[in-house]
Amino acid sequence: MKAAIDLKDVAFTWQGRTQFTLTVPNLEVAEGEKLFLLGQSGSGKSTLLSLICGITQPQRGAVVVDGVNLGTLRPSARDRLRAERIGVIFQMFNLLPYASPLENILLQLSFAPERRKRLGNAQDEALRLTAALGLDDQLVLHAQTTELSIGQQQRVAAARALIGRPKLIVADEPTSSLDANSQAAFLDLLMQQAEEAGATLLMVSHDARLAASFDRTLDLAEIATTKRHTS
Amino acid sequence: MILLRLALKSLLSRMVTVSLTIFAIALSVALFLGVEKLRTGAKASFADTISGTDLIVGARSGGVQLLLYSVFRVGNATNNVTWQSYQDIANRPEVNWSVPLSLGDSHRGFRVLGTTPEFFERYKYRGGRSVDFADGAAFADLFDAVVGADVAAKLDYQLGDSIVVSHGVASFTEHDDKPFRISGVLEKTGTPVDRTVFVSLEAIEAIHIDWQGGGRSQNTISAEDVRAMTLTPKAVTAAMIGTNTRLQIFRLQRWINDYAQEPLLAILPGVALSELWSLIGVAETALIAVSVMVVITALLGMAAMIFAGLNERRREMALLRAIGARPWTILLLLTTEAALMSLTAVALGMGLLYTGLWLARARIDAAFGLYIEITPPSPREWLVLCCVIFAGILVSLLPAVRAYFLSLADGMQVKH
C-alpha cells in the first residue's frame, strides 16, 4: 500500500535572526489513515506542515506526498500539487473576508481543475458538504463571510478543504478557536467527511484530549527534533 | 477570470480608500486632459486670430513684429507705408481687395485703428467667421467710431456715447476738439479686435490735420471746417491684402518685397502666427510638465495605498498560497487591482473632463474668447490615457513584488 505521506531523513534550517533546525528522521502516514500529531507551540509543527504542503523545501532528505517526491518538482508544480491533492484548514483566518462563503469554497477549485472535473455541479457539491457539516444553505449562499461565527467559518473552511475529494486533509489546530462542545462536534463531522471522501487526515494539535477518535497518535517531540541557536 | 473577480471584490471591500485613490487619479487625468484641450484650443484660437487675409504689408522690419503691431496691436511700427506705395500695391492685378490700417493713437489704454468699413467684411477669424455688430453699424459719418466688445464692456460704452481719442499710445494730449460718437459695438471675437477702437482712415487724417511734428499747431481747424477738406492720408501703418487666387500670393509677396521706391515687407499671416506661437511654446511645455507631474503624484499615491494595505493583507495572501495559489498569482492579483483602479480612474477622469467642458465651454468662450471644441479624445490623448493605465500597473509592481517575496517568506501562515 502506497503511503500518503513519507518523510525520510528530512532536515530543514530556517535562516533568520535566530537559526532554527527541524529534523525528521522518518514519518510515514498510510493512505486513508487518520493521524493525530501532538505538538506544543514552538515544536516545529507549522514548519513540518509547510514541508508536507510543499511551501518550503528541506535542505536534506525527501518529502513524498501521494507518491510524488516534492523535491523533484518545480515550485509551480508543487503549488499545483498542493491545490489538487491537499485540503488545508487553519486555526483561524481561513476565509477571504470579501468573498461569500460559497465563493470561498469554490475558490479552491479554481486552483485545482482536476478536483473540479471530478464534480458535476460544483455549487451543489459545496452545498452538500456544508449541509453535511451542519450549515444552512441560506447562510452559505447569502451571508457575508464576516457575519459568520468562528464555528461556522471553520465549517466553511472544512468544506473548502474537502471539496473535489483531495487525497490529503491537513488541519493545523482547527478546533483551537472553538469552545469545548463544538470542538468534538466539529471533529466528528470532519472525520466523517474525510472518511467518506477517502482522504487521509493529518491533524496537528496541542490538545491531547482530541486524540481519542484518531487511528494513530504521534508525539511530535518523538518523531522530530528541533534545534534553536542564536548566531 | 477568477483573479479579476477576486480583485474586484477585494477593492469593493475597501471602498473608502479605494474610491479616494481612484478619485485622485481621476482628477489628475481630468486636469491633464483639460490642459491638453485648453492648449489645443488656445493654439487653434491663436492660429485663427486672422484668416482670409493672404498678405499683411508694412514697412520693412521683422515678420513677427509686423504681425504683432498690425494684428495684435502690440508694439509700434518702425515706419509707415506711404499712401503712394499703398496705392501701387492696391492697384496690382493680383489684388482682389485691400484694407489699409493706420495705427498710432489710443483711447484710454485701447489702441485706435484707422481703417475703411471694408475691414469688418474682410477681417475673418476662427476659420472664416466675420466680425458681427452687437449693436449699431460701421462708421457712416467722419466722426463715427466702432468699439470692440472688451472696450465697450470695460468702459461701459453704449451706442451714441461720445469719446475722445488721445494722441499717441501713452500721452496726455487729447484730440478733444474733435470728439467721436460711437456708431457701433462689435460682438466678442476672442481676437485683438475686441480691444480696439475703430475709426475711419479719414478721421485719423482729420484729427491730425492741424498737428505738426507731434504738437498742435497755432492755426487750429475746427471739427466743422475739417469736413470740407480733402482727407487723403499721406501714409498708412500696414495693410491687409486679399489676392484673386492663392497662386498669386507668392508672386505678389515677392513683388512687394522687391518694391524699389520704399523698403516694404509682405508676410503670410499663418506663417508669422506659427513663428510667434513657437515663441510661446515654452509655456505650453511647462503646462504639460506640471500636469504630467500631477498624474505621477496620484499614481504614486495609489502605490502608497497598496503598500499600506500590504501588511494587513499578509494573512489573505498566505491563505491563497495555502489553497494552491502561486506567488505569481499574488503578484498578479495586486497588479490587477491597480489596473482596475487606473482603468476606473481614467474613465471617471474622462467623465469629469467632458462634463466640465460641457458646463464651462460657453463661459470660457464668453470670458476669454477661447473656443474649446468638444471632440472625442485625439489619438494622442488616447495614447496618454493608455500610458496612465500602464503607469498605474507599473507603479503597482513595487508593492506587488514586495507581496510576492512576503508570500514566499510567509508560506502558509503569517508568524506575527
Side-chain angles (χ1 to χ4, degrees), chain B residues 324-336:
Chain B
R326 297 163 58 181
W328 264 108
T329 313
I330 308 284
L331 187 137
L332 223 55
L333 177 69
L334 289 186
T335 42
T336 306

Side-chain angles (χ1 to χ4, degrees), chain B residues 32-44:
Chain B
F32 185 90
L33 289 182
V35 164
E36 194 69 11
K37 291 270 181 214
L38 275 181
R39 194 180 63 85
T40 46
K43 193 172 179 174

Side-chain angles (χ1 to χ4, degrees), chain A residues 79-190:
Chain A
D79 290 335
R80 178 69 188 275
L81 181 128
R82 177 169 67 257
E84 293 286 10
R85 306 198 195 179
I86 305 176
V88 183
I89 310 167
F90 295 118
Q91 178 180 348
M92 50 177 21
F93 202 79
N94 267 301
L95 307 176
L96 296 179
Y98 49 78
S100 76
L102 180 68
E103 284 170 324
N104 265 290
I105 298 169
L106 297 180
L107 185 61
Q108 175 73 66
L109 295 178
S110 58
F111 295 111
E114 280 170 33
R115 274 165 83 166
R116 159 151 279 162
K117 258 188 270 168
R118 274 178 223 144
L119 308 172
N121 185 322
Q123 180 170 332
D124 288 350
E125 173 65 7
L127 289 176
R128 187 193 68 75
L129 278 168
T130 46
L133 288 161
L135 287 175
D136 190 49
D137 279 6
Q138 291 308 307
L139 198 73
V140 179
L141 287 169
H142 302 301
Q144 298 274 318
T145 294
T146 44
E147 291 168 0
L148 303 185
S149 71
I150 294 177
Q152 289 167 331
Q153 288 191 24
Q154 292 305 83
R155 282 158 209 245
V156 173
R160 184 190 56 210
L162 285 161
I163 198 164
R165 291 194 295 285
K167 283 287 175 60
L168 175 65
I169 304 288
V170 172
D172 185 1
E173 304 267 12
T175 58
S176 300
S177 302
L178 307 176
D179 56 66
N181 288 337
S182 351
Q183 277 185 345
F186 176 78
L187 212 54
D188 282 349
L189 287 170
L190 177 63

Side-chain angles (χ1 to χ4, degrees), chain B residues 186-314:
Chain B
L186 299 175
E187 292 272 19
K188 180 96 182 166
T189 63
T191 69
V193 164
D194 299 343
R195 299 183 298 277
T196 307
V197 175
F198 296 89
V199 299
S200 69
L201 209 55
E202 292 77 21
I204 294 284
E205 195 56 29
I207 56 178
H208 293 104
I209 202 151
D210 48 3
W211 284 55
Q212 273 174 346
R216 204 168 287 182
S217 77
Q218 305 298 321
N219 315 314
T220 54
I221 300 166
S222 76
E224 286 313 307
D225 294 346
V226 82
R227 290 177 186 276
M229 303 174 74
T230 324
L231 295 169
T232 310
K234 291 167 207 68
V236 295
T237 313
M240 290 155 52
I241 308 280
T243 55
N244 294 313
T245 70
R246 302 197 130 264
L247 291 171
Q248 296 170 337
I249 297 174
F250 295 99
R251 184 151 36 115
L252 182 64
Q253 187 186 23
R254 204 172 324 117
W255 185 85
I256 295 169
N257 288 340
D258 292 343
Y259 188 69
Q261 279 83 349
E262 196 179 356
L264 296 177
L265 174 70
I267 56 163
L268 293 135
V271 174
L273 276 167
S274 60
E275 245 176 82
L276 188 53
W277 183 261
S278 67
L279 293 175
I280 311 169
V282 186
E284 194 187 11
T285 320
L287 266 182
I288 295 177
V290 169
S291 43
V292 163
M293 275 184 243
V294 174
V295 173
I296 291 174
T297 311
L299 289 177
L300 286 179
M302 177 174 74
M305 176 225 139
I306 300 176
F307 256 121
L310 224 48
N311 232 354
E312 57 192 73
R313 294 183 68 187
R314 279 169 81 171

